[in-house]
Amino acid sequence: GENVEQHPSTLSVQEGDSAVIKCTYSDSASNYFPWYKQELGKRPQLIIDIRSNVGEKKDQRIAVTLNKTAKHFSLHITETQPEDSAVYFCAASRTYGNKLVFGAGTILRVKS
Amino acid sequence: GAVVSQHPSRVICKSGTSVKIECRSLDFQATTMFWYRQFPKKSLMLMATSNEGSKATYEQGVEKDKFLINHASLTLSTLTVTSAHPEDSSFYICSAPPGGDSSTGYTFGSGTRLTVV
C-alpha cells in the first residue's frame, strides 16, 4: 500500500522567513496530494492541494510543487507569521475521494 | 459547506466498557466515511472505511471485533470501541470524502478524545 514520508519532523523559522516541508510517496498510482494544517485537539484543515496533472499550485503565501517522476511534493510557505505555527500534514490518495494516507507531520514554529 | 458532526467530543470510560462515537453528515449524504485514530503528536492513521449498506473495510492490523464500524444510513456512521483498555486512549476522527461537485474537499469531524481509565 501507499507509504508517505514527511520531513522535517520539526521546523523553526523566524517570522518573515520561508518554510519548506517535503513529502515522498511510494505508490506511483497516487494522483491527489493535499496539505493540512492541524492545531492541537482540532480537526485538520485543508490549506492547499494538487493533482497529478499539475506541477505547481499557489495560493497567496502558500504553494505546493509536485514531481511525479521523483514521487515527491513540497509545501512552501513564504513570509511566515506566528499564526502559521501548527502541525502540517501531507497526504496522498490514488484518486480524489479515495482514502488519504498521511505523512507523519511537521511541527512548524514561527518565532517572532 | 459540508459539515460532519462528531460526538462526543470527549469521553472518559472505565476499562472493559464500550464507547460509541457518532459521525453525522448534516447537509449532505455520505455513502462513505473514513475513520482515523491519532496518538499525541502523531499522524492520522486510517483504521477503516465504512460504506452505507455494506461491511466496513478495515486496514491491516486493525481488530474488526474491537473497533466495530457501522454505516446505518446515508447520514450516520458509528465507531464502537468495545472492551476498551487504556491503550485505546486516543483521538478518533472521521472524514467524509468530497461530494459530487468536488468543491467541498474532504470533510472532517471535530474528533473525539477518548480516555480509558
Side-chain angles (χ1 to χ4, degrees), chain A residues 41-107:
Chain A
K42 304 290 186 182
R43 76 190 83 196
Q45 291 183 308
L46 178 69
I47 55 172
I48 197 166
D49 59 5
I50 194 167
R51 305 192 196 193
S52 61
N53 58 341
V54 177
E56 183 174 359
K57 184 177 177 181
K58 193 172 181 180
D59 182 5
Q60 299 183 335
R61 297 187 296 111
I62 296 172
V64 55
T65 58
L66 171 65
N67 183 326
K68 280 225 78 179
T69 303
K71 290 190 283 187
H72 67 68
F73 56 112
S74 300
L75 175 70
H76 303 254
I77 305 174
T78 59
E79 300 173 26
T80 53
Q81 301 166 2
E83 50 265 39
D84 293 330
S85 296
V87 182
Y88 291 81
F89 292 98
C90 62
S93 175
R94 279 202 162 189
T95 58
Y96 181 63
N98 209 335
K99 63 181 181 182
L100 293 172
V101 177
F102 286 84
T106 297
I107 300 171

Side-chain angles (χ1 to χ4, degrees), chain B residues 75-111:
Chain B
T75 58
L76 176 63
S77 178
T78 61
L79 164 65
T80 301
V81 183
T82 63
S83 186
H85 291 284
E87 57 265 31
D88 299 324
S89 298
S90 190
F91 187 64
Y92 294 87
I93 191 164
C94 59
S95 172
D101 64 5
S102 297
S103 65
T104 55
Y106 292 75
T107 303
F108 286 85
S110 54

Side-chain angles (χ1 to χ4, degrees), chain A residues 13-15 82 110-112:
Chain A
V13 299
Q14 203 65 35
E15 181 177 1
V110 180
K111 297 175 285 187
S112 57

Side-chain angles (χ1 to χ4, degrees), chain B residues 37 47 58 63-69 79-80 92:
Chain B
R37 73 183 293 183
M47 300 173 66
Y58 288 81
E63 299 175 63
K64 57 183 68 177
D65 293 333
K66 179 167 186 62
F67 299 100
L68 299 179
I69 289 176
L79 164 65
T80 301
Y92 294 87

Side-chain angles (χ1 to χ4, degrees), chain B:
Chain B
V3 175
V4 170
S5 177
Q6 183 170 349
H7 293 281
S9 58
R10 291 176 180 270
V11 59
I12 300 173
C13 72
K14 292 184 178 180
S15 287
T17 61
S18 296
V19 173
K20 180 184 281 189
I21 301 169
E22 293 188 346
C23 279
R24 292 180 184 274
S25 55
L26 296 187
D27 49 3
F28 67 102
Q29 294 181 333
T31 56
T32 298
M33 193 73 75
F34 303 114
W35 285 93
Y36 295 87
R37 73 183 293 183
Q38 185 177 30
F39 290 109
K41 299 183 179 180
K42 297 293 184 183
S43 185
L44 289 86
M45 300 298 298
L46 181 66
M47 300 173 66
T49 303
S50 72
N51 299 287
E52 190 270 336
S54 64
K55 290 184 179 180
T57 303
Y58 288 81
E59 295 298 303
Q60 192 172 9
V62 177
E63 299 175 63
K64 57 183 68 177
D65 293 333
K66 179 167 186 62
F67 299 100
L68 299 179
I69 289 176
N70 185 268
H71 203 125
S73 72
L74 290 171
T75 58
L76 176 63
S77 178
T78 61
L79 164 65
T80 301
V81 183
T82 63
S83 186
H85 291 284
E87 57 265 31
D88 299 324
S89 298
S90 190
F91 187 64
Y92 294 87
I93 191 164
C94 59
S95 172
D101 64 5
S102 297
S103 65
T104 55
Y106 292 75
T107 303
F108 286 85
S110 54
T112 297
R113 173 75 59 194
L114 170 63
T115 303
V116 185
V117 298

